[in-house]
Structures are given as C-alpha cells and as structure tokens.
Amino acid sequence: QVQLVESGGGLVQSGGSLRLSCAASGFRFSIYSMRWYRRAPGKGRDLVASITTASGTLYADSVKGRFTISRDNGKNTVDLQMNSLKPEDTAVYYCNAVIGGMNYWGQGTQVTVSS
C-alpha cells in the first residue's frame, strides 16, 4: 500500500534551517509529482511546494527564495530544504501524492520556529 513517511522536523530559531524528507513506498514514485503542504495552528492545509516527474518546481509566494524542493527517484524520497526560517513557518508539514485521483498523505512532521 502507499506509504509516505516524513522526517526532519524540529525546533529551530528564526533565521535557521531545516531539511525535511519524505520516504515513499508502495507505488511507482518516479512517475508522480510530489508535494509538500503545511498546516499552521488554527489554519487550513496550504501547498508549500511541488515537484514534477521532470523535477519542475513550484513554490508558494511565502517561501520562494527560501525553500527548495528536490527528489531522488533512486531512493524514492522528496526533500524540502528550508532556509531563513521565520516564526510564521511554524506548522505541521505533510508530504502528498495524488495517485489514481486519490490523495495520499504522510503523518506529518512538526516544524516550530522560535523568534
């Protein structure tokens, strides 16, 4: 079955960096676009970044120039490098894949940025 497992979250000071990773299994990873979403406290789940099968990328305006999404089709992983973190980046971050019209999500990883 499809599994997405996020890791790499934690507590960091404003201006710091974190690297999130999502390990995917149970499907042919290389032929699907992958996405990172986040849910801040009291808010809905928002798209942060996406990467196509050809490694084309798209970013939310709020993270452009600070976050970088990448994928490794040999390891079935998609990473999110987050630099210059701000307190407003505090959220639970989720890995996402849409397969056969169905959304699949990981369990999420907490990122907390202190001011």
Side-chain angles (χ1 to χ4, degrees), residues 12 15 25 29 31 34 41 45 51-52 60-61 64 66 68 70 79 91 102-103 105 113:
V12 64
S25 61
F29 179 80
I31 66 170
M34 298 295 296
R45 190 150 44 186
I51 187 165
T52 69
D61 286 344
K64 279 181 184 175
R66 300 188 298 122
T68 303
S70 61
D79 290 354
M102 288 188 62
N103 269 296
W105 301 92
V113 184

Side-chain angles (χ1 to χ4, degrees), residues 58-108:
L58 184 70
Y59 297 94
D61 286 344
S62 59
V63 307
K64 279 181 184 175
R66 300 188 298 122
F67 290 12
T68 303
I69 189 172
S70 61
R71 66 188 299 158
D72 186 332
N73 289 337
K75 295 181 180 179
N76 286 6
T77 57
V78 55
D79 290 354
L80 186 68
Q81 177 66 43
M82 307 186 295
N83 299 328
S84 302
L85 283 162
K86 306 174 181 179
E88 51 263 44
D89 295 317
T90 294
V92 179
Y93 285 72
Y94 298 91
C95 182
N96 168 266
V98 179
I99 302 168
M102 288 188 62
N103 269 296
Y104 291 89
W105 301 92
Q107 81 287 353

